[in-house]
Amino acid sequence: MRRRQTTDHERELKRARDRRRYRRELAGRRVAPVDYSDAMVDYLVKYEWLKASGRNDPRCIGDAISRAVREAAEADQK
């Protein structure tokens, strides 16, 4: 059985992913999958962490959840 050759495009995607991970680690951040419901999305839109146009985009939802938690943590430190 022959191994599939890795294309230049696949190698570049891996390098980009590794660079993002390295920058996150330097900043002391991690990534975690998060389950969310329609009610949570509605809450994020209501309080303007998420634009209504992004309510079906998992990346936008993840960014909004991250922003909401970060702002709550920062407010708690004050």
Side-chain angles (χ1 to χ4, degrees), residues 38-55:
D38 288 339
M40 292 171 66
V41 172
D42 291 342
Y43 182 89
L44 293 168
V45 170
K46 179 180 178 180
Y47 291 101
E48 300 178 354
W49 280 298
L50 177 65
K51 293 181 181 179
S53 62
R55 70 181 322 119

Side-chain angles (χ1 to χ4, degrees), residues 11-62:
R11 279 192 291 273
E12 185 54 38
L13 290 175
K14 183 182 180 323
R15 286 186 194 113
R17 187 176 58 244
D18 290 345
R19 284 190 299 270
R20 287 190 304 270
R21 188 192 78 226
Y22 179 72
R23 284 192 293 267
R24 276 194 309 267
E25 287 176 358
L26 284 177
R29 297 184 354 244
R30 306 288 184 271
V31 174
V34 176
D35 290 333
Y36 58 89
S37 66
D38 288 339
M40 292 171 66
V41 172
D42 291 342
Y43 182 89
L44 293 168
V45 170
K46 179 180 178 180
Y47 291 101
E48 300 178 354
W49 280 298
L50 177 65
K51 293 181 181 179
S53 62
R55 70 181 322 119
N56 293 318
D57 183 347
R59 183 173 294 276
C60 290
I61 294 167

